[in-house]
Amino acid sequence: MSVYETFKKSFWGPTIAWKRLFTKPVTIQVPRVYREASERYRGFHVNDWELCSGCSTCSKVCPTDAIKMVPVDIEVESGKKAQRPAIDYGRCSFCAMCVDICTTGSLNMTREYIHISDDANTFFFLPDETGIHHQEVPLGYQRDEASELLDLERVEMEELPADERVDSFIEYVKGYSREQAIAEASRCVDCELCVDVCPANMDIPRYIESVFKNDTSEGVEWIYKTNPLPGVCGRVCTHKCETACSIGNRGEPVAIRWLKRYIMDQESVEDIIKHSKENISKKGKGKIAIIGAGPSGLSASYYLSLMGYKVTIFEAKELPGGVMRYGIPRYRLPDEALDKDIDVIKALGVEIKCNTTVGKDITLTELKNKYDAVFLGTGFMLGRSTKVPGTDHEDVLMALPLLEKIRDYLRDPENSEKPPVPDSLIVIGGGNVAMDVARSIARLQRMEGKKVNVKVTSLESMEELPADLEEIVEGREEGIQFFPSRGPKEVIIENEKIKGLKTIACTRVFDDDGRFSPEFDESDVMTIDGEMIVEAIGQAPDYSYLPNELREKLEFVRGRLMVNEKGQTSIPWLFAGGDIVNGPDIIHGVADGHKAAVGIDEFLTREEG
Ligand code: SF4
Ligand code: SF4
C-alpha cells in the first residue's frame, strides 16, 4: 500500500465507525431481548423422575465430571434407586453425552439457555420435568438413532435347534465363546441396579468386568463371595437381576446368567477349590448339622466351613443336590455342572451323609445333642394333588417323583426303574416344574420313536403362566401344546384306562387383592385327550422329622417356617432357610443359606462369650 493510501485510510477510518452510531444495533440485548434457540439446542436439562431409574450412567459418562447423583426422598420400586442426577453448570460443557447414554431416555435438554443469579449454588441444579426455572420450556436436544451410545442387542446364545434338542437330554444351551462373552460383558454400564434385585446381592458388575478384562479367575473370586452354586445358577437361575438391568429399559438386558456360566465353565474345579481354601478362617469352633443337601443347605455349609466350622449334611436321597439333582432335568442342568459346585464344597471338609433320613435314621434331638447348631433346608418335596375325581388312578402321577425317576434312569439305566413313556400326556400346572415334566416326557417320547404328544393345561391364561417365558417358548418349539385358562374337573376313565381330562373354563385365578381365588364357568366344558396325567400344581413341605415338642415351639405361616433376619427360628439353636422359609427358587436358597451361616456364627460366638 502507498503512503497516500495509508494516509487516506487512517484519516477516513474513524468517520466510518462514527457513522455506525446512527444505525440500528446488530447485537441482541440478552436477557432484555430473548432469542429463540434452534430445535436441537443443547440448553439446560430436564429429567422425567418417573422414568429415571437413578442408574447413574449419565454421571459416569460425563467427561467433565459435572453430574453428581443426589439422594432424593421418593418411593422407588425394586430395581431403581432413590437418587437423581444433579448438574454443575460451572463444569458442564453441554456435550449431551448424558442424554445420549441415558438408559431410560428420561434425561433431555431444553432450548432454555439463560440463567442469571448472584447465588452460585443455583448453578448446581437437580433437574426434574420442569427445568431450571420451573416453567414449561420447549425440548431441545434429544438422542436419536445416530447418537445412541448403548449397545442394545444381546450377543445371541447358541442353542441346539428344537427338532434336534428334543431327541435327547443333552444340554442344549451351548455357552458363550470368549469373544462372545467379552462382547456381551462390554454392554454393561456398571449401574449396579441388578445387585439389589439379586436375592444373594451378588456383585454382578464386578464379575462382568472380570469377563471384559478376560480374567475369569478374578470373576470366580467375586462370585464365590455370595454364591457357592454358580455353575448351577449360571444355567438355571431365574435371573430376576436381568429384569432390573438398565440396558433392558430400551434394549435387551445384559445376559448376566450366561456370563456367570461362562466364568465358571472356564475355571477348573482345582482352581476354584484352591481359591476357596485361601478364604478359610479358623475363627469358628464347633460342629453344625445341616438337614438337606439342597441349595440352602449346601450354601450354608460352604460359608460355615469358610468360618472354620465342622459341617455335616444329612441327606435322605442317594446323591446331594435336592431339587437341582432330582427336579430340574439334565438338558437344563447336567450332573457335571452340579457335581463341580458340590466338589468345591466337599473339598472344604463338608461331610455329606447321603441315604440318611432325619427322623428315621437319626432324630433331630440326637442331632441337637451332638452338634452346636442345626440348619433345616429340607425344601418342598411333597407333591400336591388337585383331588378332582379320578386322580387316585395309578396313571395320575406327581411331578417330582416322576422327574426323579427320569433323572435316575438317565444316570444309570441298568440299575434304575424305567420311567413311564405314554403315547399322550396331560400335565396340570403352569409353572417351571410343569414345563420340566412336559419337556422331559416329550424327549422320552421322541427317544422311543413316538411323536411328541404332551398337553399342558393351567388355570392361568398364557400371559399369566408362572413358568419362565423361555421355558414356554422353547416348550412350544418342541411341540408342547397349551390349554390355558382351564380348571380340571374330572379324570375320564374308560375300562380302567385314562382317556382324558374334563376341564371347565377358568375365568379368574386371583382376586383383586392378588389372592389365589379361582372362578370357573361350569357351562364351558372341554375334554383334553391323554392316557397319563401328571399333577404339577406345586409342592409342599414334609415336617415329619420335627418331634412334637419342638414343632409346638416353632411358628408356621401357610406351611412356611418363621425365622428372623438371620435365619434363626424361635428355638435358638435351630436355623432354617430355602423353600421351607422363603422359596421360590435356587438363588433364594443360596441367599438364605449364607444369611443363616452368618447367623449361626453370631449365635455361637455370643454363646461362647
Ligand atoms: S442415565 Fe438417565 S436413567 Fe440413569 S440416572 Fe441418568 S437420567 Fe436417570
Ligand atoms: S448388568 Fe445391567 S443392571 Fe447390572 S450393572 Fe450391568 S448394566 Fe447395570
Side-chain angles (χ1 to χ4, degrees):
M1 196 184 286
S2 67
V3 174
Y4 170 72
E5 276 171 340
T6 309
F7 168 76
K8 202 170 123 189
K9 242 189 158 161
S10 53
F11 183 81
W12 289 111
T15 62
I16 292 166
W18 283 106
K19 225 168 71 185
R20 296 278 178 242
L21 282 175
F22 305 101
T23 59
K24 206 174 160 211
V26 176
T27 313
I28 298 172
Q29 294 182 339
V30 175
R32 270 193 290 143
V33 181
Y34 186 72
R35 189 180 179 200
E36 272 303 324
S38 72
E39 267 183 28
R40 286 178 54 82
Y41 189 81
R42 298 176 190 178
F44 296 121
H45 297 74
V46 277
N47 190 18
D48 181 343
W49 279 27
E50 285 285 311
L51 213 54
C52 176
S53 62
C55 73
S56 75
T57 310
C58 48
S59 150
K60 284 184 184 134
V61 81
C62 178
T64 60
D65 204 12
I67 304 182
K68 297 274 171 292
M69 297 307 292
V70 175
V72 288
D73 189 17
I74 53 168
E75 292 273 319
V76 286
E77 59 202 70
S78 159
K80 291 187 171 189
K81 286 188 183 166
Q83 57 177 15
R84 295 293 178 261
I87 297 160
D88 180 349
Y89 286 113
R91 284 173 164 268
C92 179
S93 65
F94 295 88
C95 68
M97 280 179 83
C98 52
V99 173
D100 288 342
I101 206 161
C102 174
T103 58
T104 59
S106 66
L107 191 66
N108 288 294
M109 286 167 133
T110 64
R111 294 185 222 166
E112 194 175 19
Y113 56 89
I114 299 171
H115 178 64
I116 301 164
S117 173
D118 52 11
D119 179 0
N121 290 328
T122 64
F123 289 84
F124 182 68
F125 160 63
L126 181 66
D128 59 13
E129 302 90 299
T130 58
I132 194 163
H133 297 128
H134 304 295
Q135 60 190 25
E136 219 171 286
V137 277
L139 277 180
Y141 182 83
Q142 294 167 73
R143 182 193 51 247
D144 59 20
E145 246 177 62
S147 57
E148 178 65 76
L149 291 179
L150 298 176
D151 187 354
L152 298 175
E153 273 178 39
R154 180 181 275 206
V155 176
E156 212 179 310
M157 173 58 79
E158 277 182 64
E159 289 184 4
L160 287 178
D163 203 43
E164 231 175 275
R165 68 180 182 241
V166 77
D167 280 337
S168 78
F169 277 77
I170 58 170
E171 189 176 26
Y172 61 89
V173 175
K174 292 188 176 171
Y176 280 145
S177 67
R178 188 173 66 174
E179 292 69 29
Q180 287 173 321
I182 290 174
E184 183 60 17
S186 73
R187 300 176 62 228
C188 172
V189 291
D190 194 9
C191 68
E192 299 181 358
L193 294 187
C194 47
V195 179
D196 290 342
V197 176
C198 169
N201 298 128
M202 296 190 72
D203 204 335
I204 295 163
R206 296 289 67 75
Y207 71 70
I208 289 184
E209 188 184 18
S210 78
V211 174
F212 185 67
K213 292 192 300 193
N214 195 21
D215 185 353
T216 47
S217 69
E218 184 190 292
V220 166
E221 281 178 38
W222 283 111
I223 286 172
Y224 266 84
K225 283 181 196 295
T226 44
N227 187 347
L229 293 170
V232 170
C233 290
R235 286 169 166 81
V236 295
C237 185
T238 43
H239 56 105
K240 295 282 178 278
C241 52
E242 292 178 18
T243 62
C245 177
S246 11
I247 307 298
N249 285 318
R250 298 194 286 107
E252 294 175 288
V254 174
I256 301 172
R257 178 178 53 167
W258 297 146
L259 289 173
K260 178 158 57 247
R261 170 182 164 167
Y262 169 78
I263 292 172
M264 298 318 300
D265 285 355
Q266 307 317 300
E267 296 294 306
S268 71
V269 70
E270 292 77 21
D271 285 344
I272 303 169
I273 290 171
K274 189 166 159 272
H275 152 76
S276 291
K277 283 190 169 170
E278 282 165 8
N279 290 306
I280 296 180
S281 77
K282 296 276 175 236
K283 183 168 82 72
K285 290 182 219 83
K287 294 190 299 175
I288 318 295
I290 291 178
I291 310 178
S296 65
L298 288 167
S299 170
S301 74
Y302 178 85
Y303 291 108
L304 285 164
S305 300
L306 286 190
M307 294 172 198
Y309 292 97
K310 177 84 190 88
V311 183
T312 307
I313 305 182
F314 297 86
E315 169 56 50
K317 304 267 185 217
E318 192 187 343
L319 294 167
V323 72
M324 303 176 288
R325 174 85 61 189
Y326 292 103
I328 300 169
R330 57 192 289 175
Y331 58 83
R332 291 212 287 139
L333 177 59
D335 278 357
E336 299 73 36
L338 173 60
D339 286 334
K340 189 171 169 183
D341 286 352
I342 294 178
D343 284 347
V344 174
I345 293 168
K346 286 203 287 199
L348 297 191
V350 174
E351 186 186 2
I352 307 180
K353 291 191 176 187
C354 288
N355 294 317
T356 310
T357 306
V358 175
K360 207 170 91 192
D361 301 310
I362 187 165
T363 66
L364 188 53
T365 315
E366 284 174 291
L367 292 183
K368 192 248 171 282
N369 293 335
K370 284 189 189 162
Y371 294 86
D372 299 298
V374 179
F375 175 82
L376 310 178
T378 45
F380 272 27
M381 297 301 275
L382 293 182
R384 282 206 170 108
S385 172
T386 57
K387 295 204 171 88
V388 298
T391 43
D392 52 355
H393 190 281
E394 61 178 359
D395 287 336
V396 178
L397 308 178
M398 287 286 161
L400 281 188
L402 176 63
L403 288 170
E404 181 176 339
K405 196 177 270 188
I406 294 171
R407 279 205 74 148
D408 277 344
Y409 177 70
L410 294 169
R411 189 178 302 114
D412 185 5
E414 304 286 301
N415 300 304
S416 307
E417 194 189 331
K418 187 171 177 296
V421 187
D423 287 344
S424 54
L425 173 76
I426 301 164
V427 182
I428 305 174
N432 282 340
V433 174
M435 295 310 304
D436 286 343
V437 171
R439 297 179 70 188
S440 294
I441 294 292
R443 280 164 172 73
L444 291 171
Q445 286 175 330
R446 281 284 286 254
M447 285 159 73
E448 294 209 342
K450 296 177 180 176
K451 270 180 67 177
V452 172
N453 188 340
V454 179
K455 294 154 188 156
V456 174
T457 181
S458 59
L459 296 179
E460 297 90 350
S461 64
M462 278 317 275
E463 295 72 39
E464 292 168 328
L465 282 183
D468 291 347
L469 183 62
E470 64 201 11
E471 286 288 310
I472 298 164
V473 170
E474 289 170 3
R476 205 178 236 155
E477 286 170 2
E478 290 164 10
I480 313 290
Q481 299 167 57
F482 289 87
F483 294 81
S485 301
R486 309 295 314 171
K489 188 71 180 162
E490 183 187 349
V491 178
I492 300 169
I493 301 168
E494 283 173 24
N495 300 326
E496 296 179 6
K497 296 244 177 283
I498 292 178
K499 291 291 170 197
L501 182 72
K502 184 176 165 187
T503 66
I504 49 174
C506 177
T507 51
R508 181 192 85 170
V509 185
F510 301 101
D511 65 16
D512 293 342
D513 296 326
R515 279 186 301 248
F516 182 71
S517 173
E519 284 181 356
F520 300 97
D521 176 358
E522 300 268 350
S523 67
D524 183 345
V525 179
M526 179 203 274
T527 299
I528 302 169
D529 296 334
E531 61 177 48
M532 195 174 102
I533 295 174
V534 174
E535 294 188 282
I537 58 162
Q539 285 72 239
D542 177 4
Y543 294 121
S544 57
Y545 58 88
L546 283 175
N548 280 342
E549 65 274 18
L550 291 184
R551 197 190 286 229
E552 280 162 13
K553 292 184 189 149
L554 296 169
E555 203 188 326
F556 296 89
V557 174
R558 283 198 290 272
R560 298 206 196 262
L561 195 47
M562 293 293 102
V563 297
N564 67 14
E565 70 287 352
K566 292 287 164 62
Q568 190 173 32
T569 67
S570 40
I571 299 172
W573 53 268
L574 195 61
F575 291 72
D579 282 354
I580 59 170
V581 169
N582 271 319
D585 52 19
I586 293 171
I587 191 65
H588 278 87
V590 167
D592 283 356
H594 192 177
K595 204 165 53 184
V598 175
I600 290 170
D601 180 50
E602 282 176 10
F603 165 66
L604 293 179
T605 312
R606 254 199 321 271
E607 290 263 293
E608 254 180 37

